[in-house]
Amino acid sequence: MFEKYLISEKTFHNVEKKGEIIGYAVGLRIPYYRGITLSCINEINLTINGESVPHDDMTIVVETGSFPYSEISTVINNRWEMTEEAVVFVNAPGGLEDKEHTIEAFVSLRISYQPHPNTGADKKILKLGTTRKVDEEVMNNGRIN
């Protein structure tokens, strides 16, 4: 239902810290009609230009904090709201080239009253946006040094 909106067209950029590109960010919208706690995320998969992004390189950023992908199954007090864009920060020194990239995203959510996961998938070709500085306060919560 919301699949075509999964990948945000406004959040796709390299991230800079202390003058160096430390990775990039991809904005995602929830493929569901309600918000959920982060612990209800079964999986988030990203592919950039045909290459899968390792989960170990991902940090999930929502309004209330940032969390390494490996920890989201334990995050019960923070939510990804329906109207909120979650940002997937990818630790990739040097970031991405300033050009168009093919982004594929898949999100699987565990919904208590559904017998099967709620999933969404999207694919877009986006031009890399303007590099932005890392938000130290947000990223320190996710323990990105």
Side-chain angles (χ1 to χ4, degrees):
M1 176 193 267
F2 299 106
E3 289 85 0
K4 69 181 180 178
Y5 304 111
L6 182 64
I7 299 170
S8 170
E9 295 173 359
K10 69 179 187 175
T11 303
F12 179 51
H13 56 83
N14 281 328
V15 177
E16 176 189 330
K17 181 177 181 180
K18 297 179 183 173
E20 292 187 37
I21 303 296
I22 61 169
Y24 58 92
V26 177
L28 299 178
R29 293 185 195 92
I30 195 167
Y32 190 55
Y33 72 98
R34 300 173 71 174
I36 60 162
T37 60
L38 295 184
S39 62
C40 290
I41 297 173
N42 283 334
E43 113 186 270
I44 296 176
N45 293 325
L46 275 181
T47 303
I48 307 293
N49 301 322
E51 292 189 32
S52 293
V53 175
H55 290 146
D56 289 344
D57 291 340
M58 293 184 196
T59 298
I60 309 304
V61 182
V62 292
E63 279 187 26
T64 57
S66 62
F67 306 91
Y69 184 91
S70 63
E71 295 180 14
I72 59 174
S73 64
T74 66
V75 181
I76 60 172
N77 293 319
N78 297 77
R79 296 177 57 82
W80 181 7
E81 297 297 346
M82 196 271 182
T83 58
E84 178 184 0
E85 184 179 287
V87 175
V88 178
F89 168 76
V90 178
N91 182 27
L96 295 171
E97 290 182 59
D98 186 16
K99 63 176 191 174
E100 285 188 338
H101 297 273
T102 302
I103 307 167
E104 295 176 70
F106 173 82
V107 175
S108 173
L109 307 174
R110 188 172 49 260
I111 308 301
S112 63
Y113 56 84
Q114 290 184 349
H116 52 80
N118 186 81
T119 62
D122 191 10
K123 180 177 181 178
K124 287 190 170 82
I125 298 173
L126 298 178
K127 178 150 178 28
L128 195 66
T130 304
T131 298
R132 299 182 195 172
K133 292 187 188 271
V134 69
D135 184 330
E136 296 285 347
E137 184 177 336
V138 169
M139 295 311 281
N140 284 338
N141 182 46
R143 295 167 294 286
I144 300 295
N145 295 321

